[in-house]
Amino acid sequence: MTVKCNKCKEEINKEDLEKNYYICPLCGKLNRMPAKNRLQMLTEKFDVMFNDQEFTDPIDFPSYKEKYESAREKSGETEGVVCGRGTIGGNDTCIFIMEPNFMMGSMGTVVGDRITALFEYATKNRLPVIGYTVSGGARMQEGALSLMQMAKVSAAAKRHSDAGLLYVVCTTDPTMGGATASFAMLGDIIISEPGAMIGFAGKRVVEQVTGEVLPDNFQSSEFQLKNGFIDDIVPRQEQRAYLANILAIHAETVSA
């Protein structure tokens, strides 16, 4: 079975792409990685949590249920984020990974509920949180309720921080809108992948509002690192070792 590279649009063997961490062997660009594959890449073991919360249609948005069912079929997930507890390099941690193939990881009430519940569990059990963001922002089909998830998750992250616990975020392509305006930018350490787009409104909108011509790499992870919005850019194949090292240092600090 072949798939198209998101960047160069060339046909690639799907199995080869998966084995290569979803990095195109032809152009070297990073393709969007499903949550289940990230978990396989990062963890030795992982137990899914808070997976019983499913579809809600709070404002009876036209065709939302059909779109939701299509997203479930495409992604193999029940919602736009997978949450749970696992180990990275033998270090116990809570993890949430947003799913790019489920309505681009958009934030609905269930996404907010799951991530909030994970932070509350991590706070109670004194565990760090590793978060992988990929999102187009709030889910328009849930109206103002989707925007409320920004405050809800941010409040849970603040309580986790106040307890002296670690939160590390990896922003992947794209992390935009309400996710960037809330929990994606609240990590103690914020890393990203090469070439990822990170921002609030898109480049064209910002240019229209400001009347300025922006650089070609505007909102790329390289641009955001240069301007102090993120702390590091870590190649995908190195992230497991990178995070394991951070978690080990944190574990020593907490136990001291």
Side-chain angles (χ1 to χ4, degrees):
M1 180 180 178
T2 60
V3 293
K4 277 190 177 182
C5 171
N6 291 339
K7 307 296 181 179
C8 69
K9 308 303 180 184
E10 294 293 329
E11 295 283 344
I12 317 159
N13 184 280
K14 184 179 180 182
E15 188 174 336
D16 291 341
L17 189 64
E18 289 179 354
K19 288 179 180 178
N20 199 39
Y21 302 106
Y22 279 77
I23 302 170
C24 177
L26 301 177
C27 69
K29 299 293 186 181
L30 276 66
N31 284 255
R32 289 164 189 160
M33 195 174 194
K36 62 184 178 183
N37 295 90
R38 283 201 185 274
L39 286 167
Q40 291 170 359
M41 178 185 79
L42 292 171
T43 65
E44 297 85 40
K45 66 175 183 178
F46 181 78
D47 296 317
V48 175
M49 302 170 66
F50 315 116
N51 210 36
D52 55 339
Q53 302 153 299
E54 294 190 25
F55 179 73
T56 61
D57 189 3
I59 61 172
D60 195 25
F61 195 90
S63 303
Y64 182 25
K65 187 173 183 180
E66 291 78 9
K67 193 177 186 75
Y68 175 88
E69 292 298 336
S70 175
R72 283 191 67 165
E73 183 177 349
K74 179 181 178 181
S75 66
E77 303 294 348
T78 59
E79 252 295 348
V81 68
V82 177
C83 297
R85 179 172 177 170
T87 60
I88 299 176
N91 301 285
D92 199 6
T93 185
C94 288
I95 305 167
F96 73 83
I97 299 183
M98 302 183 82
E99 173 55 65
N101 294 313
F102 197 106
M103 300 177 72
M104 190 45 72
S106 57
M107 299 186 308
T109 52
V110 175
V111 169
D113 285 346
R114 288 185 181 183
I115 301 176
T116 298
L118 186 75
F119 270 107
E120 291 173 343
Y121 176 89
T123 303
K124 181 179 179 180
N125 292 276
R126 299 203 55 77
L127 291 168
V129 173
I130 303 294
Y132 272 73
T133 60
V134 55
S135 181
R139 190 175 297 177
M140 60 173 284
Q141 291 86 352
E142 296 189 21
L145 290 174
S146 64
L147 296 174
M148 292 168 62
Q149 307 316 306
M150 297 166 61
K152 183 168 70 179
V153 177
S154 296
K158 177 64 164 59
R159 292 190 291 270
H160 182 261
S161 176
D162 288 346
L165 300 168
L166 176 70
Y167 174 33
V168 181
V169 182
C170 181
T171 54
T172 73
D173 184 57
T175 296
M176 301 293 289
T180 305
S182 57
F183 57 89
M185 291 288 117
L186 293 179
D188 299 294
I189 299 171
I190 303 172
I191 65 173
S192 189
E193 296 187 318
M197 296 303 296
I198 309 159
F200 184 65
K203 177 184 176 183
R204 184 172 59 183
V205 172
V206 177
E207 286 183 328
Q208 289 173 346
V209 171
T210 63
E212 297 181 12
V213 177
L214 299 169
D216 290 339
N217 70 337
F218 178 67
Q219 295 182 324
S220 69
S221 55
E222 291 77 12
F223 178 90
Q224 303 294 28
L225 178 63
K226 181 180 178 181
N227 288 279
F229 279 86
I230 63 174
D231 299 305
D232 205 354
I233 295 174
V234 184
R236 188 171 284 175
Q237 58 271 37
E238 297 176 16
Q239 289 169 17
R240 182 175 183 170
Y242 187 99
L243 292 172
N245 186 48
I246 290 173
L247 290 169
I249 294 170
H250 175 66
E252 290 176 6
T253 303
V254 170
S255 61

Short mmCIF file of all heavy atoms in Angstrom, two decimals, residues 17 19 23 25 33 40 45 62 78 82 108 113 124-125 130 149 166 169 190 194 241 245 247 251:
data_model
loop_
_atom_site.label_atom_id
_atom_site.label_comp_id
_atom_site.label_asym_id
_atom_site.label_seq_id
_atom_site.Cartn_x
_atom_site.Cartn_y
_atom_site.Cartn_z
N LEU A 17 7.28 4.25 5.36
CA LEU A 17 7.07 5.53 6.02
C LEU A 17 6.91 5.35 7.53
O LEU A 17 7.49 6.11 8.32
CB LEU A 17 5.83 6.23 5.43
CG LEU A 17 5.59 7.68 5.86
CD1 LEU A 17 6.71 8.59 5.36
CD2 LEU A 17 4.23 8.17 5.34
N LYS A 19 8.06 2.88 9.39
CA LYS A 19 9.34 2.46 9.97
C LYS A 19 10.31 3.63 10.09
O LYS A 19 11.19 3.63 10.96
CB LYS A 19 9.97 1.36 9.12
CG LYS A 19 9.26 0.01 9.22
CD LYS A 19 9.93 -1.02 8.33
CE LYS A 19 9.25 -2.37 8.41
NZ LYS A 19 9.86 -3.37 7.51
N ILE A 23 8.90 10.08 8.38
CA ILE A 23 9.77 11.03 7.70
C ILE A 23 9.93 10.54 6.26
O ILE A 23 10.33 9.39 6.03
CB ILE A 23 11.15 11.12 8.38
CG1 ILE A 23 10.99 11.55 9.84
CG2 ILE A 23 12.06 12.10 7.64
CD1 ILE A 23 12.26 11.44 10.66
N PRO A 25 11.27 9.40 2.95
CA PRO A 25 12.60 8.98 2.51
C PRO A 25 13.07 9.69 1.25
O PRO A 25 14.25 9.64 0.90
CB PRO A 25 12.44 7.47 2.26
CG PRO A 25 10.99 7.30 1.94
CD PRO A 25 10.26 8.33 2.76
N MET A 33 2.07 12.44 12.16
CA MET A 33 2.21 11.10 12.73
C MET A 33 1.00 10.77 13.60
O MET A 33 0.67 11.52 14.53
CB MET A 33 3.49 11.04 13.56
CG MET A 33 3.96 9.67 13.93
SD MET A 33 5.57 9.77 14.77
CE MET A 33 6.07 8.06 14.70
N GLN A 40 4.08 4.31 20.13
CA GLN A 40 5.01 3.20 19.87
C GLN A 40 6.44 3.71 19.82
O GLN A 40 7.37 3.04 20.28
CB GLN A 40 4.64 2.52 18.55
CG GLN A 40 3.33 1.74 18.61
CD GLN A 40 2.87 1.27 17.23
OE1 GLN A 40 3.53 1.53 16.22
NE2 GLN A 40 1.75 0.59 17.19
N LYS A 45 5.72 1.09 27.63
CA LYS A 45 4.36 0.61 27.91
C LYS A 45 3.45 1.81 28.05
O LYS A 45 3.89 2.91 28.39
CB LYS A 45 4.33 -0.25 29.18
CG LYS A 45 4.65 0.50 30.46
CD LYS A 45 4.47 -0.41 31.67
CE LYS A 45 4.72 0.36 32.98
NZ LYS A 45 4.51 -0.49 34.17
N PRO A 62 -25.22 21.23 12.28
CA PRO A 62 -25.57 20.43 11.10
C PRO A 62 -24.41 19.54 10.63
O PRO A 62 -23.27 20.00 10.50
CB PRO A 62 -25.90 21.49 10.04
CG PRO A 62 -26.30 22.70 10.82
CD PRO A 62 -25.48 22.67 12.08
N THR A 78 -11.27 7.40 19.05
CA THR A 78 -12.63 7.84 19.40
C THR A 78 -12.74 9.35 19.54
O THR A 78 -13.83 9.89 19.60
CB THR A 78 -13.07 7.19 20.73
OG1 THR A 78 -12.14 7.57 21.76
CG2 THR A 78 -13.11 5.68 20.62
N VAL A 82 -5.43 11.22 22.64
CA VAL A 82 -5.26 9.96 23.38
C VAL A 82 -4.51 10.29 24.67
O VAL A 82 -3.45 10.94 24.63
CB VAL A 82 -4.47 8.92 22.56
CG1 VAL A 82 -4.25 7.66 23.38
CG2 VAL A 82 -5.20 8.60 21.26
N GLY A 108 -12.59 19.99 21.15
CA GLY A 108 -13.99 19.95 21.54
C GLY A 108 -14.08 19.69 23.03
O GLY A 108 -13.06 19.62 23.73
N ASP A 113 -12.05 17.65 28.27
CA ASP A 113 -12.32 16.79 29.43
C ASP A 113 -11.19 15.79 29.65
O ASP A 113 -10.75 15.57 30.79
CB ASP A 113 -13.63 16.02 29.24
CG ASP A 113 -14.86 16.89 29.42
OD1 ASP A 113 -14.72 18.01 29.95
OD2 ASP A 113 -15.96 16.46 29.02
N LYS A 124 -2.69 14.41 41.41
CA LYS A 124 -3.01 13.55 42.54
C LYS A 124 -1.92 12.51 42.78
O LYS A 124 -1.57 12.19 43.93
CB LYS A 124 -4.35 12.86 42.31
CG LYS A 124 -4.80 11.95 43.45
CD LYS A 124 -6.15 11.32 43.15
CE LYS A 124 -6.57 10.38 44.27
NZ LYS A 124 -7.91 9.75 43.97
N ASN A 125 -1.36 11.97 41.70
CA ASN A 125 -0.37 10.90 41.81
C ASN A 125 1.07 11.40 41.67
O ASN A 125 2.00 10.60 41.58
CB ASN A 125 -0.65 9.83 40.75
CG ASN A 125 -1.93 9.08 41.03
OD1 ASN A 125 -1.94 8.13 41.80
ND2 ASN A 125 -3.03 9.50 40.41
N ILE A 130 3.67 14.68 29.83
CA ILE A 130 4.25 14.93 28.51
C ILE A 130 3.08 15.13 27.54
O ILE A 130 2.20 14.27 27.44
CB ILE A 130 5.11 13.75 28.03
CG1 ILE A 130 6.24 13.43 29.02
CG2 ILE A 130 5.67 14.03 26.63
CD1 ILE A 130 7.28 14.50 29.17
N GLN A 149 -12.62 25.18 26.63
CA GLN A 149 -11.62 24.15 26.93
C GLN A 149 -10.25 24.77 27.18
O GLN A 149 -9.42 24.20 27.91
CB GLN A 149 -11.55 23.12 25.78
CG GLN A 149 -12.88 22.51 25.39
CD GLN A 149 -13.74 22.11 26.57
OE1 GLN A 149 -13.29 21.35 27.45
NE2 GLN A 149 -14.97 22.60 26.62
N LEU A 166 6.27 18.55 36.73
CA LEU A 166 6.82 18.90 35.42
C LEU A 166 5.80 18.71 34.30
O LEU A 166 5.10 17.70 34.25
CB LEU A 166 8.05 18.03 35.14
CG LEU A 166 8.73 18.18 33.77
CD1 LEU A 166 9.43 19.53 33.68
CD2 LEU A 166 9.73 17.04 33.55
N VAL A 169 5.95 20.04 26.77
CA VAL A 169 5.13 20.06 25.56
C VAL A 169 6.01 19.89 24.33
O VAL A 169 7.08 20.51 24.23
CB VAL A 169 4.36 21.39 25.43
CG1 VAL A 169 3.46 21.35 24.19
CG2 VAL A 169 3.52 21.67 26.66
N ILE A 190 9.22 23.64 26.42
CA ILE A 190 8.46 23.53 25.18
C ILE A 190 9.43 23.23 24.05
O ILE A 190 10.32 24.02 23.76
CB ILE A 190 7.70 24.83 24.88
CG1 ILE A 190 6.77 25.20 26.05
CG2 ILE A 190 6.88 24.67 23.59
CD1 ILE A 190 6.13 26.56 25.90
N PRO A 194 11.32 19.86 13.66
CA PRO A 194 11.78 20.71 12.56
C PRO A 194 10.65 21.05 11.59
O PRO A 194 9.88 20.17 11.20
CB PRO A 194 12.84 19.84 11.86
CG PRO A 194 13.32 18.89 12.93
CD PRO A 194 12.11 18.61 13.78
N ALA A 241 14.83 9.63 23.64
CA ALA A 241 15.99 9.78 24.51
C ALA A 241 16.00 11.15 25.18
O ALA A 241 16.35 11.27 26.36
CB ALA A 241 17.28 9.57 23.70
N ASN A 245 15.67 11.66 29.30
CA ASN A 245 16.68 12.37 30.08
C ASN A 245 16.04 13.44 30.96
O ASN A 245 16.38 13.57 32.15
CB ASN A 245 17.70 13.01 29.13
CG ASN A 245 18.87 13.64 29.87
OD1 ASN A 245 19.46 13.05 30.76
ND2 ASN A 245 19.20 14.87 29.50
N LEU A 247 12.92 13.54 32.05
CA LEU A 247 12.13 12.87 33.09
C LEU A 247 13.01 12.30 34.20
O LEU A 247 12.62 12.36 35.37
CB LEU A 247 11.27 11.76 32.46
CG LEU A 247 10.11 12.23 31.58
CD1 LEU A 247 9.51 11.05 30.81
CD2 LEU A 247 9.03 12.91 32.42
N ALA A 251 12.79 13.31 38.07
CA ALA A 251 12.54 12.29 39.10
C ALA A 251 13.55 12.42 40.24
O ALA A 251 13.20 12.28 41.42
CB ALA A 251 12.61 10.90 38.49
#
